[in-house]
Amino acid sequence: MAGCNTDCVEKPIARGFEILGRFVGRHHWWFFILPMFISAGLGGGFYFLADREANGIEEMFTPLDGPAKDERQVVKEYFPQNDSDFSRLRLYTEGTFASLIIVTPTANILTNPAFTKIVAMDREVKAIEVGTFNFSSLCVKKGDVCVSNSIFDIVKTPNVTTTTIDYPYHDNIFIASEIGGVKLKTGSTEIESAKAIRLFYFLKEDNQTVNTMWLQKFIETASMMQTEEGMTVSYFTSISRDEEFEKSSDSIIPLFSLTYALAITFSITSCIRLDCVRNKVWVATFGVLSAGMAVLSSFGLLLYCGMPFAMTVATAPFLILGIGVDDMFIMISCWQQTQVHGDVEDRMAATYKEAAVSITITTLTDALAFYIGLLTPFGSVQSFCMYTGTAVLFCYLYNITFFGAFLALNGRREKSNRHWLTCMKVPEPEVNSEKYNICSVGGAYDHETGKEEPMPINNFFKTYYGPFLTNNWTKGFVILLYAVYLGLSIYGCSQIKEGIDLKNLAADSSYVGSYYDNEDEFFSEYGPNVMVVVTDSEFQYWDESSRNSLDSCLQKFEDLSMVSQNGTISWLNEYLIFGKMTNLNLSVENTFKSNLSTFLERSDFIQDVDFTDNTIYASRMFIQTVNVSTAVDEKNMLNELRETAKDCPVKLVVYHPAFIYFDQYAVIVSNTIQNIVVATLAMLVISLMLIPNPICSLWVTFAIASVIVGVAGFMTFWDVNLDSVSMINLVICIGFSVDFSAHISYAFVSSNKRTANEKAIDAVYHLGYPIIQGGVSTILGVVALSAAESYIFRTFFKIMFLVILFGAVHGIVFIPVFLSFFGICGAKVGDEEDAGDNPQDNTYQFKRKGNDNIACENNF
C-alpha cells in the first residue's frame, strides 16, 4: 500500500516467532508434555472453587461503591436494629424473613372459607420446628410477643365478611403491604373485596445458622401446602434469591458436554480431508483440547489467587472455546501454505512467522477488551472479565506451545506419508491421476506450488458472490438494507430498558418467579416506605424557623408524583401535637429536650431519634412512595428523592433497603459508555499501529459504532435490558467488531486490483470464508446457552449471536459495498497493474480472530 509500512511493528515480532516456531518444531515433545503438567497443576485450584464462589446478589450485581451502601451505613450507625422491639418499617436491611402470598384471582379472598384456610396456613408455618427451636423462640418480638401479621389482628373468623377494613391505613396501621388486589367501595376507603393476602414471618438475626435451617424447612412446607380450589400460594424467603441464583448455574452444566461435542464436530468437519495423509482430524481434536486446558489453567490459577468466582464466569468456557478454535484454524491454514516436502522445523518457522503474529494481535485486542471491563463497579462484571481475559492469554500460550507441538508431531507423520488413523505408511498418488483409493493412498499436494491443495469454497466468493455483491442493483439493495438496519437500531436504542429484574437471577422454573409476579400484580400500588434522615447534629428542632425549613423539605418530597400526599410519618409532628395537648412550650430548647425522652418511650418513635447526652445526633421521618412498578419508576423515584434531599437546606439522607439494588440504574449507562469508549480507543490505537491508513481506521471506527448501535438496539427487541450482564457482552462486542472490520477494509485498500469493484471482490475472496468460519465457530461455542433455564446465560447467547451476526454481515456485505464507492483510497496501480491477477501474490500480513485466515490464504 502506497505510503504505508508497518514492518516496524510486525517484522521484529514475526522474526521472533519464526525462531520460536523452529524451536518448538525441534523440541516438540517438551512443548507437548510440559503444558499438560502445568495445566494439571494449575487445575488443582478448582479445589478452592467452593470457597471462592461469590453468588451474593448484592455483592455481585449492585455497584460496589453505590451511594445506598453509604446511606445504609449512616442509618445503621444512628439507628441500630432491635429484635426485641421490632419494626419492619425501620429495618436498614431486608431482614431475615419468610413470606407467603395467597391469591384468589377470580374471587374475593376476604371470605370465611378462604380466610379460614389462610389461618390454617399461618398455623402450619408457626408449627415448623428445627431441632429444639420453634418459631416462637426464633421470631422477632414486640415486647415479649412474636410480631404478628396485622391482618390477623384486624380480621377474626368467622366474622370476615362483616369486618370493616379501611385501606391503605386501618387505625393508623399500614396494611397495603398485606392486602392486595383491592377494590374499594365507591367514595370510601373501605375495602369491598381483595384478591391477595401477604404474610410475613421475621426472625431474630442472632443465630443465622438455625435461621437458615428454619427457612429451608419453611420452603419445604410451603411447597407442599394444600389450597382451596381457585387459590394459589407463592412463597419466598430472605435466602431465596441467593440460593436460587446459585442453583441456576446447574442448568448449564449438562450443556458443557454438548458445546464441546459441537466444537469438536465443527472443527473436525472443517479440517477433514479426503486424503488419508493430509487429514487433520487429530489436529482439530487437540485444538479443542488446547482451549479446554486454557480454561482449566486460567481458572485454576485465579482460584489459587483467591479471585471471587461469580456465576457469570460460567459462560466464559463457551466463549474461550470459540476463540481457541478460531486460533487453531489460523495455525492450520498457515501450515497448509508451507512447502509439504520441507523440513518440519522450517514449516513450523514459516507457520509461526505468519500465524503467531495474527494470534498475538487477536489476544492483545480481546484481552484488552476484557481487562477494561475491570473498570466497572459491578463484582459480576469484574469477575467475568478477569477470568475470561486471563483465559484468553492462556489460550494464546497453549496455542503456540501445546497445539504447535502437536502440529509438529502431525507434520512428521505427514512428511513420512503415514495414514492419519493407523500411522501406517501409504503410497503417494500418481501425478495427474484423478482417481485413487482415498483409504490406502494419500499425500496429494499441488505440484506447481508445493503446497497442500486448496479447497473450492474460496472460488465461490471470487466467481459468484463477489460479482453479485458489486452489481449496481445489489449495491442499491444493500444501502436500503443498511438504512433499515440503522433505523431499527436507533429506534431500539431509544427504547432500551435499564437494570436487571431480580427474579431473572433465578432459573425459569424457580418458585421465586411466581412470588415476584404476584407481588408485582397485587402489591405494586404502594412502593417502598422511604426513610428521610436528618444527619445534622446541630439542627435546632425546637426552633420554629428550622422546623419550617424541614417541613418545607418534607412538602417538596410529598409534591413528587411518586410520593403519597398523606403518607408521611414524622415523630416531630407528633411531638408537637403532644406538646400542645400537655401545654408544653416546645419552642424552648430545655423544655423540648427534657420532655423528649418521655414522649419517645410512650410512643412508637423511640427508634427514630438518636438522643444521647442531651444531643439529638440524628432523627428520621418516613415518606410513602406510590405506583413504583417498573424499573423506570424505580430509577426515577431514586433520582428524584436524592435530588430533593440534595436541594434541601437541611442535611438529609434518603434510604430504603431496596435502594441497594436500585443503585444500578445510577451507574449502568455511564459505566457502559465509559467501557465502550475506552475499549474503542484501545482498539483504534492497536489498529493504527498495525494498519496505519486513515481511511482504513475510519472504516474500523464506523464498523465498531455501527455494530454496537445494532446490538444495543436489537437486544431491546429481544427483551434484553441494559444491565451488568449485557454490559459484559457490549464490551466483548467491540473486540469482535474489530475482528470483522479492520482487515476487510485493509484488504480492500491494500489490494492491487484496478477498480473499486475488483478490490471488493478480491477482499471477499480472501476473507469471505474465514469470516463465516470464524463466526460459526464462535456461535457454536455459545449456542448451547440458548437452552439454559437462566436469563443470564440466555442473555449471553442472545447478545453474542447479535454481535457475531452483525459483525459478519458488516464484514462480508456492508463494508465491501461501502468501500466500493471509495476506490480512490486503495493502492495506486502503476507499472504492476497485473500484479494482482494471481491471488497467490496477494497475501495479507495482518490477521484478526474473526477473519481466520488473512495472514495466509485460507485453503482448508
Side-chain angles (χ1 to χ4, degrees):
M1 188 173 75
C4 180
N5 190 342
T6 61
D7 285 355
C8 59
V9 176
E10 188 219 2
K11 195 170 183 178
I13 299 176
R15 178 58 183 160
F17 277 109
E18 183 179 14
I19 296 171
L20 175 62
R22 192 178 302 278
F23 190 73
V24 172
R26 183 178 302 136
H27 304 285
H28 47 271
W29 282 113
W30 283 104
F31 285 95
F32 183 70
I33 295 174
L34 191 59
M36 288 194 287
F37 278 101
I38 293 174
S39 183
L42 292 177
F46 276 86
Y47 174 80
F48 302 101
L49 179 59
D51 297 330
R52 306 289 188 255
E53 285 183 344
N55 291 326
I57 293 176
E58 178 181 327
E59 178 187 2
M60 290 290 106
F61 290 93
T62 64
L64 300 176
D65 54 352
K69 292 187 169 97
D70 294 330
E71 294 160 359
R72 178 173 61 188
Q73 189 59 36
V74 169
V75 175
K76 182 178 180 180
E77 178 183 349
Y78 290 122
F79 312 107
Q81 291 175 187
N82 186 352
D83 287 339
S84 62
D85 189 19
F86 178 79
S87 171
R88 185 170 143 232
L89 176 69
R90 293 165 172 83
L91 291 174
Y92 59 76
T93 64
E94 288 184 317
T96 303
F97 71 94
S99 179
L100 293 174
I101 294 181
I102 304 99
V103 178
T104 53
T106 60
N108 182 13
I109 200 169
L110 297 175
T111 61
N112 285 325
F115 207 78
T116 300
K117 185 61 181 177
I118 293 172
V119 170
M121 292 178 184
D122 178 66
R123 290 174 181 159
E124 190 175 354
V125 170
K126 291 179 178 178
I128 296 174
E129 294 183 353
V130 176
T132 59
F133 296 92
N134 55 26
F135 179 74
S136 61
S137 63
L138 297 174
C139 67
V140 294
K141 297 182 179 180
K142 193 81 170 174
D144 294 325
V145 181
C146 286
V147 173
S148 174
N149 289 284
S150 301
I151 187 67
F152 295 130
D153 297 329
I154 299 169
V155 180
K156 304 291 183 181
T157 55
N159 303 316
V160 178
T161 56
T162 59
T163 303
T164 299
I165 308 174
D166 292 321
Y167 183 90
Y169 287 94
H170 181 88
D171 293 339
N172 293 323
I173 300 173
F174 184 72
I175 62 168
S177 61
E178 296 184 30
I179 306 178
V182 170
K183 180 181 178 182
L184 300 178
K185 292 183 178 179
T186 306
S188 171
T189 61
E190 184 180 338
I191 295 178
E192 180 179 321
S193 65
K195 293 184 177 180
I197 295 290
R198 178 162 58 176
L199 307 178
F200 289 98
Y201 304 91
F202 282 90
L203 307 180
K204 292 181 291 187
E205 300 193 9
D206 56 354
N207 192 338
Q208 289 298 340
T209 301
V210 175
N211 285 350
T212 299
M213 295 170 63
W214 190 92
L215 292 175
Q216 290 172 340
K217 193 78 175 289
F218 166 85
I219 294 172
E220 284 181 35
T221 303
S223 65
M224 296 184 292
M225 280 184 173
Q226 300 295 320
T227 60
E228 300 290 338
E229 186 177 351
M231 179 183 289
T232 62
V233 176
S234 57
Y235 49 95
F236 186 82
T237 73
S238 53
I239 65 172
S240 292
R241 267 196 304 261
D242 288 347
E243 283 197 348
E244 291 300 297
F245 174 59
E246 190 171 349
K247 288 178 183 177
S248 66
S249 62
D250 296 340
S251 66
I252 69 163
I253 293 177
L255 302 180
F256 280 109
S257 56
L258 173 61
T259 299
Y260 273 81
L262 286 173
I264 292 174
T265 302
F266 177 74
S267 302
I268 290 175
T269 303
S270 296
C271 298
I272 202 166
R273 302 291 179 273
L274 298 179
D275 186 304
C276 63
V277 173
R278 306 297 175 203
N279 204 339
K280 292 179 173 56
V281 170
W282 291 118
V283 176
T285 303
F286 276 84
V288 176
L289 178 60
S290 176
M293 288 170 54
V295 172
L296 182 67
S297 299
S298 58
F299 283 26
L301 174 63
L302 291 174
L303 290 170
Y304 273 129
C305 295
M307 184 68 190
F309 188 94
M311 193 182 74
T312 49
V313 179
T315 61
F318 297 91
L319 183 61
I320 295 303
L321 182 59
I323 293 174
V325 170
D326 288 352
D327 290 346
M328 174 194 72
F329 288 146
I330 300 169
M331 299 282 282
I332 294 174
S333 174
C334 290
W335 169 268
Q336 292 175 155
Q337 293 306 302
T338 59
Q339 298 293 317
V340 295
H341 290 305
D343 291 337
V344 171
E345 293 176 17
D346 293 335
R347 297 186 72 182
M348 289 293 293
T351 298
Y352 272 52
K353 182 179 179 180
E354 298 294 341
V357 173
S358 304
I359 296 174
T360 301
I361 298 169
T362 296
T363 302
L364 183 61
T365 54
D366 286 341
L368 267 176
F370 288 119
Y371 286 136
I372 285 170
L374 295 174
L375 298 174
T376 65
F378 293 95
S380 58
V381 178
Q382 292 181 355
S383 180
F384 173 86
C385 289
M386 176 59 79
Y387 275 92
T388 310
T390 306
V392 168
L393 296 179
F394 270 95
C395 198
Y396 165 73
L397 178 64
Y398 286 157
N399 259 290
I400 61 176
T401 55
F402 173 77
F403 178 72
F406 186 81
L407 194 62
L409 286 169
N410 188 73
R412 293 183 182 277
R413 178 191 61 77
E414 289 185 8
K415 185 173 177 60
S416 58
N417 220 64
R418 294 180 180 273
H419 196 281
W420 71 273
L421 182 60
T422 65
C423 288
M424 301 291 292
K425 279 194 173 185
V426 296
E428 293 186 14
E430 297 178 3
V431 179
N432 298 326
S433 174
E434 296 184 0
K435 295 182 179 181
Y436 60 90
N437 192 328
I438 62 174
C439 294
S440 58
V441 177
Y445 64 96
D446 189 328
H447 289 271
E448 292 185 7
T449 63
K451 303 175 184 178
E452 293 186 25
E453 294 179 342
M455 291 186 71
I457 192 169
N458 287 343
N459 292 326
F460 165 78
F461 286 94
K462 182 177 182 180
T463 307
Y464 299 102
Y465 179 75
F468 172 76
L469 188 65
T470 53
N471 181 279
N472 288 337
W473 287 102
T474 305
K475 288 183 181 180
F477 176 76
V478 169
I479 293 173
L480 178 63
L481 181 64
Y482 182 77
V484 173
Y485 159 82
L486 190 61
L488 289 173
S489 300
I490 294 174
Y491 173 76
C493 288
S494 69
Q495 303 298 311
I496 200 165
K497 297 179 181 178
E498 300 169 35
I500 191 166
D501 192 336
L502 293 180
K503 75 175 182 180
N504 287 332
L505 296 176
D508 297 340
S509 57
S510 171
Y511 63 86
V512 169
S514 60
Y515 182 89
Y516 275 121
D517 289 340
N518 285 333
E519 186 177 52
D520 290 342
E521 183 176 357
F522 300 108
F523 296 95
S524 61
E525 182 178 354
Y526 288 88
N529 210 310
V530 178
M531 301 179 194
V532 180
V533 183
V534 181
T535 59
D536 185 2
S537 60
E538 305 286 326
F539 186 77
Q540 299 178 355
Y541 294 88
W542 52 89
D543 180 69
E544 185 175 355
S545 176
S546 298
R547 290 202 303 266
N548 288 338
S549 295
L550 181 57
D551 288 340
S552 176
C553 293
L554 291 175
Q555 186 59 50
K556 289 179 180 178
F557 281 114
E558 291 185 351
D559 290 340
L560 297 176
S561 61
M562 293 184 177
V563 176
S564 172
Q565 291 286 332
N566 303 312
T568 301
I569 301 173
S570 171
W571 69 269
L572 184 56
N573 289 344
E574 294 297 323
Y575 187 33
L576 294 175
I577 294 172
F578 171 79
K580 289 180 180 179
M581 294 174 60
T582 54
N583 296 317
L584 295 174
N585 185 5
L586 297 182
S587 295
V588 178
E589 180 179 357
N590 288 336
T591 306
F592 188 97
K593 289 183 176 179
S594 61
N595 291 276
L596 180 57
S597 296
T598 302
F599 165 75
L600 293 176
E601 289 172 0
R602 292 179 180 179
S603 67
D604 288 333
F605 298 110
I606 192 168
Q607 297 185 57
D608 296 332
V609 184
D610 183 2
F611 183 46
T612 309
D613 298 329
N614 209 39
T615 300
I616 302 176
Y617 289 98
S619 72
R620 62 182 169 186
M621 293 77 173
F622 300 88
I623 55 176
Q624 178 63 57
T625 59
V626 293
N627 299 321
V628 183
S629 56
T630 67
V632 175
D633 295 336
E634 293 168 352
K635 173 188 174 182
N636 293 338
M637 177 195 69
L638 183 65
N639 292 338
E640 290 178 10
L641 291 178
R642 283 179 175 164
E643 283 297 322
T644 304
K646 182 180 178 182
D647 295 339
C648 181
V650 183
K651 292 181 181 177
L652 297 180
V653 169
V654 290
Y655 175 73
H656 185 274
F659 287 5
I660 298 292
Y661 302 101
F662 296 170
D663 263 348
Q664 60 179 311
Y665 306 127
V667 299
I668 193 71
V669 174
S670 60
N671 272 270
T672 300
I673 293 173
Q674 168 192 289
N675 290 342
I676 289 174
V677 169
V678 173
T680 300
L681 290 176
M683 300 305 113
L684 284 177
V685 169
I686 294 172
S687 298
L688 285 170
M689 288 175 60
L690 299 170
I691 316 172
N693 179 286
I695 297 298
C696 184
S697 299
L698 180 64
W699 284 108
V700 169
T701 307
F702 161 78
I704 291 175
S706 182
V707 172
I708 289 176
V709 170
V711 172
F714 276 79
M715 76 182 196
T716 304
F717 301 135
W718 215 346
D719 295 326
V720 176
N721 290 1
L722 179 60
D723 51 41
S724 57
V725 178
S726 54
M727 179 195 289
I728 293 171
N729 294 277
L730 288 175
V731 173
I732 297 172
C733 177
I734 297 169
F736 281 91
S737 299
V738 176
D739 289 348
F740 290 123
S741 62
H743 295 285
I744 190 76
S745 55
Y746 182 75
F748 180 92
V749 299
S750 62
S751 173
N752 290 323
K753 298 297 183 179
R754 274 184 168 280
T755 67
N757 282 347
E758 289 175 345
K759 292 174 185 291
I761 294 172
D762 194 43
V764 297
Y765 164 61
H766 286 90
L767 302 180
Y769 181 51
I771 285 176
I772 292 175
Q773 193 176 42
V776 170
S777 64
T778 305
I779 288 177
L780 284 178
V782 298
V783 69
L785 294 177
S786 64
E789 291 187 10
S790 170
Y791 165 85
I792 290 177
F793 300 121
R794 288 198 306 273
T795 295
F796 189 86
F797 161 75
K798 288 178 180 180
I799 298 186
M800 283 305 302
F801 179 82
L802 291 175
V803 169
I804 299 303
L805 175 63
F806 292 156
V809 170
H810 276 72
I812 62 176
V813 180
F814 293 145
I815 292 181
V817 169
F818 294 155
L819 285 171
S820 70
F821 294 112
F822 299 92
I824 57 172
C825 300
K828 294 180 180 178
V829 181
D831 297 334
E832 300 176 88
E833 63 181 32
D834 296 324
D837 293 341
N838 183 3
Q840 299 294 339
D841 297 332
N842 194 11
T843 301
Y844 302 105
Q845 299 299 317
F846 299 91
K847 167 71 186 63
R848 286 287 303 162
K849 169 171 57 51
N851 310 330
D852 283 339
N853 306 306
I854 306 172
C856 40
E857 287 182 343
N858 177 32
N859 292 324
F860 62 98

